[in-house]
Amino acid sequence: MKFDSLILDVDGTIWNTTGIVAQAWNLAFDKYFPQVPHVTADILKGQFGKPMDVIADNLFPMLNKEDKAFLMESCCKMEQAALMENTKDIAYEGVIDTIKKLSKTIPVFIVSNCQSGYIEVVMEKNGIKEFITDFECFGNNGFSKDKNIRLIAERNQLKNPVYVGDTQGDFEACQKAEVPFIWAAYGFGHPDSNDYYAKIESFTELEDLL
């Protein structure tokens, strides 16, 4: 199948921030709502990829709607500060070089359920801003991932995009958007069905697939 574009998920596909984010979020919990249980990297792996309001419902069920929104916003601010300060390479092996190579022959996009400003951090910390044609996220418009995939496709006149992600949520979004799904099996999760276009154990395998 000939694709005219590549759309990427972020967490569990480009990099793994869960250790850094867990520490940042726990600081926010302790500062504002110490009754909220601490999270771990493994707990976050099970939540990342979901819309931010869903994550708040799952992790802060004891808080009211307003407090959930405030705490999630505080977590995101501390998270982004921690990621900007981080000096360790947390991208999966081969991802950055492969994005740079692929962008020479196929436009690369990012669609995530993350907060506004997060994708900008991803691009800056990994030095890939010039290689990403366009991006969109839940935090910018409140749209579900399938709607943002379609939005990116419409905005950039894409005829045959393919999406790379790692979770059941990514798989379902692609089904709704009617876009082929490549499962990044090295990431955080897995689809409940084998009805995906391809499975990769390493991001570098995309060079041969595309």
Side-chain angles (χ1 to χ4, degrees), residues 62 70 79 93 124 126 128 144 155 172 180 193 208-209:
M62 70 292 295
F70 171 79
E79 163 192 325
E93 184 176 359
E124 180 174 345
N126 291 291
I128 58 172
S144 58
R155 197 156 71 199
E172 292 174 354
S193 166
D208 292 331
L209 272 177

Side-chain angles (χ1 to χ4, degrees), residues 27-41:
L27 288 174
F29 297 172
D30 291 343
K31 182 175 181 179
Y32 298 112
F33 297 98
Q35 70 269 36
V36 175
H38 277 194
V39 293
T40 64

Side-chain angles (χ1 to χ4, degrees), residues 6-93:
L6 172 65
I7 308 176
L8 303 177
D9 175 47
V10 177
D11 295 301
T13 301
I14 292 178
W15 67 356
N16 179 3
T17 65
T18 53
I20 296 170
V21 173
Q23 291 180 351
W25 284 24
N26 289 336
L27 288 174
F29 297 172
D30 291 343
K31 182 175 181 179
Y32 298 112
F33 297 98
Q35 70 269 36
V36 175
H38 277 194
V39 293
T40 64
D42 285 339
I43 288 174
L44 291 182
K45 286 178 182 179
Q47 297 298 318
F48 278 12
K50 301 173 183 177
M52 304 306 294
D53 54 350
V54 174
I55 296 175
D57 287 340
N58 292 342
L59 297 183
F60 327 141
M62 70 292 295
L63 302 182
N64 61 41
K65 183 177 180 180
E66 292 73 21
D67 287 344
K68 284 177 183 176
F70 171 79
L71 182 55
M72 181 54 72
E73 182 179 357
S74 300
C75 285
C76 290
K77 288 179 180 178
M78 289 191 173
E79 163 192 325
Q80 291 185 194
L83 288 171
M84 289 302 295
E85 293 173 0
N86 174 59
T87 58
K88 296 180 180 178
D89 182 4
I90 54 175
Y92 290 105
E93 184 176 359

Side-chain angles (χ1 to χ4, degrees), residues 166-208:
D166 63 304
T167 67
Q168 172 68 11
D170 293 334
F171 174 68
E172 292 174 354
C174 287
Q175 287 190 312
K176 291 178 181 177
E178 299 182 332
V179 168
F181 177 69
I182 295 177
W183 173 32
Y186 56 83
F188 298 160
H190 59 82
D192 292 339
S193 166
N194 292 328
D195 188 24
Y196 45 76
Y197 175 75
K199 170 185 174 182
I200 55 173
E201 298 287 352
S202 168
F203 194 88
T204 58
E205 293 174 32
L206 287 176
E207 290 189 64
D208 292 331

